[in-house]
Amino acid sequence: MKNFDQRWQTSIQAARQAPAEPMELPYGFTTRLLARFHEAPAETWSEVFAVLGLRALFVTASLFLVSASFAAAHWYEFRIETPALENPLSVNPLTEPFSSWL
Amino acid sequence: MTETFAVQDCLSRVRSGDLAAANSLILHLSPLVQRLVRNHLPRRESEEDLMQDVFLKLLQKLNSYQERAGIPFEHWVSRLTVRTCLDALRAEKARPEWRFTDLNAGEAEWLDFLMKGQSTAPTSHSMDVKAVVMRLLAQLSPPDRLVLTLLDLEERSTQEIAQITGWTRPMVKMRAMRARHKLRQIARELMKEDLTDS
């Protein structure tokens, strides 16, 4: 039994045989288009922002993630390496003054 | 080769503000743009409106077009047209609703063939199968519809689709595979509706 993909290909092949509708431009199409082109600004700021804004958002989000992960890793290392208390054996209370204990 | 030269000449005249050149450029490109727009037209958008949007973008962005060796201008136009159509399809909030009962006899026969696996394809008019194919494709998400239309209906290679859409070739193949899977699910749902209705 044929599977769906094969039958889909058969259908598509038959669909391609369908007679194409005539390719005609509507009456006055180019005139209307060129008039619209003269009225419209070259490229509106909103379009530029729509394109650039999305890219800027993506770059900002990526930078934020990288810096956040770096900061988190650094903070974690700092927390591990820093002892909670000074090593009491490193300070000799008999020979060193009290201020050097701290 | 002469035609390519004529296009480039025409482009430089359009850039310098020659309206007659802009007119002839539109006439030259209209069959290509019209064919693409027809294949990727959202249901609620008129063909003329979308074609106007495409040509308007084309004229506005013409200064940013840079000629590259071996890549015809028409390729840039195809890419621009397909992207504009994709944006229009995305802007369409909901997929058009479609029920098995909306089909005529010939279309129902083709849907039966797709889902029930009869050994021979129906002999009904090719417009019927085209209607079924277009209706099924319209149920897909815009990128899925786009990839299957380009790949199956327009018989473009994955390399061409990758260039037009900006996706990678593996992405095109993966999307096409998933789109066919979704298409099968949609057709199955329609057939289920038919069984519950009858």
Side-chain angles (χ1 to χ4, degrees), chain A residues 34-68:
Chain A
L34 291 175
R36 210 177 138 193
F37 173 58
H38 276 285
E39 282 170 15
E43 197 166 23
T44 55
W45 280 104
S46 60
E47 282 172 353
V48 176
F49 275 120
V51 174
L52 294 180
L54 204 63
R55 287 178 191 170
L57 190 72
F58 179 73
V59 171
T60 313
S62 311
L63 283 174
F64 174 76
L65 280 176
V66 169
S67 57

Side-chain angles (χ1 to χ4, degrees), chain A residues 7-9 11-12 14-16 18 21-26 29-30 32-33 36-38 41-43, chain B residues 19 23 26 34-35 38 48 51-53 55-56 59-61 113-114 117 126 129 133 152-153 155 183:
Chain A
R7 291 194 299 274
W8 170 250
Q9 289 305 326
S11 309
I12 280 285
R16 283 197 295 262
E21 290 170 51
M23 295 278 184
E24 280 177 359
L25 281 182
F29 177 82
T30 49
R32 284 195 296 278
L33 177 67
R36 210 177 138 193
F37 173 58
H38 276 285
E43 197 166 23
Chain B
L19 279 181
N23 196 39
I26 293 164
Q34 199 164 20
R35 189 169 48 81
R38 246 174 222 177
E48 187 186 336
M51 276 182 72
Q52 277 214 11
D53 288 347
F55 277 114
L56 204 61
L59 292 171
Q60 285 171 340
K61 289 175 188 277
F113 164 71
L114 259 174
S126 54
V129 66
V133 164
D152 292 343
L153 211 57
E155 292 186 285
L183 204 66

Side-chain angles (χ1 to χ4, degrees), chain B residues 72-83:
Chain B
F73 175 65
E74 283 77 5
H75 189 95
W76 183 75
V77 177
S78 301
R79 191 179 169 131
L80 185 89
T81 308
V82 164
R83 287 195 168 188

Side-chain angles (χ1 to χ4, degrees), chain B:
Chain B
M1 197 67 194
T2 22
E3 198 179 330
T4 313
F5 176 74
V7 168
Q8 293 307 323
D9 179 49
C10 191
L11 288 181
S12 58
R13 282 195 289 136
V14 173
R15 283 189 186 119
S16 62
D18 186 341
L19 279 181
N23 196 39
S24 53
L25 182 71
I26 293 164
L27 291 175
H28 171 76
L29 295 171
S30 63
L32 169 74
V33 172
Q34 199 164 20
R35 189 169 48 81
L36 285 169
V37 163
R38 246 174 222 177
N39 284 341
H40 306 278
L41 186 70
R43 199 176 60 141
R44 289 190 182 88
E45 187 105 17
S46 91
E47 186 180 301
E48 187 186 336
D49 286 350
L50 198 51
M51 276 182 72
Q52 277 214 11
D53 288 347
V54 171
F55 277 114
L56 204 61
K57 271 190 189 174
L58 187 142
L59 292 171
Q60 285 171 340
K61 289 175 188 277
L62 207 57
N63 286 328
S64 64
Y65 167 71
Q66 287 172 337
E67 190 191 350
R68 287 181 195 169
I71 303 174
F73 175 65
E74 283 77 5
H75 189 95
W76 183 75
V77 177
S78 301
R79 191 179 169 131
L80 185 89
T81 308
V82 164
R83 287 195 168 188
T84 309
C85 291
L86 189 61
D87 287 345
L89 284 167
R90 280 186 175 138
E92 201 176 40
K93 294 276 183 275
R95 303 276 91 76
E97 275 189 31
W98 183 38
R99 296 176 66 83
F100 191 87
T101 45
D102 297 339
L103 304 175
N104 66 32
E107 291 169 357
E109 213 179 338
W110 273 103
L111 192 64
D112 267 349
F113 164 71
L114 259 174
M115 292 315 301
K116 292 181 182 165
Q118 295 159 358
S119 54
T120 53
T123 51
S124 57
H125 201 269
S126 54
M127 289 303 281
D128 290 334
V129 66
K130 189 164 186 187
V132 171
V133 164
M134 294 309 277
R135 280 183 175 203
L136 279 173
L137 289 173
Q139 303 294 311
L140 294 170
S141 69
D144 288 348
R145 175 184 166 170
L146 179 81
V147 75
L148 280 195
T149 308
L150 291 170
L151 195 68
D152 292 343
L153 211 57
E154 296 181 18
E155 292 186 285
R156 290 179 188 259
S157 66
T158 50
Q159 177 70 37
E160 271 182 288
I161 299 171
Q163 283 171 349
I164 288 174
T165 55
W167 301 332
T168 59
R169 280 182 76 185
M171 202 173 152
V172 170
K173 286 180 187 170
M174 180 62 79
R175 205 179 268 280
M177 198 182 76
R178 285 183 186 162
R180 285 202 189 101
H181 183 71
K182 280 180 200 164
L183 204 66
R184 187 172 23 207
Q185 283 177 335
I186 290 165
R188 196 176 290 151
E189 289 296 318
L190 273 167
M191 296 300 287
K192 265 186 205 167
E193 264 180 36
D194 173 45
L195 288 174
T196 49
D197 287 352
S198 57

